[in-house]
Amino acid sequence: MPTAATETASNAKARPTLRDVAMLAGVSPKTVSRVVNGEAGVSAPKTAAVQRAIAQLDYRPNFTASSLRRSSGRSAAIAAVLEDLANPFSAALHRAIEDAARDRGVLIFAGSVDENPERERELVRAFTMRQADALVVVPASDDQSYLANEVSTGTPVVFVDRPPVGLPVDAVLTDNHDGAAAAVHHLVRHGHRDIAYLGDLRNIPTARQRFQGFKEALSDHGIRPSTAAIVHDLHTERASEEAVRRLLSAGSPPTALFTAQNLVTVGAIRALQQLGRQHEVALVGFDDFPLADLLQPAVTVVAQDPSEMGRVAASLIFRRLDGEQWRPTTHLVASRLIPRGSGEITGPHRG
């Protein structure tokens, strides 16, 4: 009796080849090769026919056939499509995947999407054209069904930090809702009810989950947040810094801040320090960042574990490359609240 694993394996289809393109276009393989490599001397009608066949078959040229590919048919390379390699979260995630890959003699190709869906697709296409054995993706787009062909041909794909949409693949996520709620409960326990929310772009799933956790935790304490104290779409330190300055110059400024992303946290801290309010206004940030424990006051954070997320993602990738089969699953990696000082500044409602 066939199992889910054997059904998955039997449904996988072979990648289209250069010869498949040539047959569909009605030209020779050499002509296809010249079009793919941008060589001159191919007529416009033949070029158009080849390009139509490439699009119809979703053909990906193998740029590494003569250099990287092993006798096993693998390229010994995994592609990591991350949010921003300069961000500490992405850097830690990348390093964990790289460390796991090194033990296997596998290279990591990585690129930043910068919250740009078009850039995400460009990177995925570039890496798959180079025949990456697997993909680790932190998506910026709101629909990743364009990767269905890669999955159907047997390429392992794992999403990290954000869940896949329109694509049944493994995912490694943090419980963003509960982590944000923990931050709010912590601030309320320390006497705060006027808590401002400063969040990332609203089109990012993790930002929406953290905001939902923030709102529900306030509701648990019978607190209705002020709309003036909710600021979305902050994606740079500068934007966050300016938002905090505006909040604290208002007639009824918040006594505490929940900053829902590490760069947002850094901008908020800079504003507090410049205003001389860092020992007066409490702050809990989502995501840890380097030197957070050395500031004055040290920064209380809800820490994700990007290194563990990277290790889990790499394990899933290599298990699938080794031939294991299972239905796509979501793996949650716990966050933890780390009290360091900024989140323990006492508010006016401390009992």
Side-chain angles (χ1 to χ4, degrees), residues 35-288:
V35 171
V36 167
N37 292 311
E39 298 176 11
V42 182
S43 68
K46 287 185 177 181
T47 297
V50 170
Q51 291 171 341
R52 284 194 300 270
I54 287 173
Q56 183 175 335
L57 295 172
D58 195 21
Y59 168 68
R60 308 294 173 89
N62 182 355
F63 290 143
T64 57
S66 61
S67 57
L68 284 180
R69 293 191 78 79
R70 298 171 168 176
S71 59
S72 64
R74 294 182 181 171
S75 64
I78 292 172
V81 180
L82 306 178
E83 195 276 319
D84 177 6
L85 285 165
N87 187 291
F89 179 89
S90 294
L93 182 63
H94 176 270
R95 183 53 190 260
I97 298 169
E98 183 179 28
D99 287 346
R102 184 188 301 120
D103 294 339
R104 297 267 193 142
V106 172
L107 296 175
I108 301 296
F109 298 147
S112 303
V113 300
D114 297 322
E115 298 303 342
N116 185 333
E118 184 176 344
R119 175 64 176 160
E120 174 194 317
R121 285 175 174 260
E122 289 174 354
L123 282 172
V124 167
R125 181 166 182 82
F127 290 144
T128 54
M129 286 173 67
R130 287 159 178 79
Q131 303 295 310
D133 292 332
L135 293 168
V136 177
V137 182
V138 178
S141 64
D142 56 8
D143 182 1
Q144 295 86 46
S145 58
Y146 69 91
L147 278 166
N149 188 59
E150 295 303 319
V151 174
S152 70
T153 57
T155 301
V157 178
V158 174
F159 278 55
V160 179
D161 189 42
R162 304 170 189 177
V165 178
L167 192 71
V169 295
D170 295 316
V172 182
L173 311 175
T174 294
D175 193 336
N176 292 283
H177 177 282
D178 286 1
V184 173
H185 293 315
H186 185 78
L187 289 169
V188 172
R189 283 196 298 272
H190 284 81
H192 298 278
R193 295 181 69 83
D194 298 315
I195 305 171
Y197 172 89
L198 295 100
D200 207 335
L201 303 177
R202 277 174 284 189
N203 65 320
I204 300 175
T206 53
R208 296 195 297 270
Q209 293 161 4
R210 292 170 193 174
F211 182 53
Q212 189 65 27
F214 169 84
K215 291 192 300 180
E216 291 183 10
L218 286 179
S219 179
D220 289 343
H221 295 280
I223 302 172
R224 183 186 296 274
S226 166
T227 55
I230 296 173
V231 187
H232 296 285
D233 300 322
L234 303 173
H235 197 58
T236 65
E237 295 176 18
R238 181 65 179 273
S240 175
E241 179 183 340
E242 293 173 351
V244 170
R245 285 179 172 276
R246 289 194 301 271
L247 287 169
L248 296 183
S249 64
S252 300
T255 64
L257 309 176
F258 171 57
T259 51
Q261 191 251 31
N262 53 14
L263 297 182
V264 175
T265 302
V266 171
I269 292 168
R270 183 174 287 116
L272 290 174
Q273 290 183 340
Q274 290 172 351
L275 295 169
R277 305 286 302 278
Q278 69 270 29
H279 295 286
E280 301 172 13
V281 178
L283 180 148
V284 176
F286 204 111
D287 285 343
D288 208 353

Side-chain angles (χ1 to χ4, degrees), residues 265-266 269 287-301 340-342:
T265 302
V266 171
I269 292 168
D287 285 343
D288 208 353
F289 59 94
L291 306 183
D293 58 330
L294 299 182
L295 295 172
Q296 291 297 325
V299 184
T300 297
V301 297
R340 291 180 177 141
S342 70

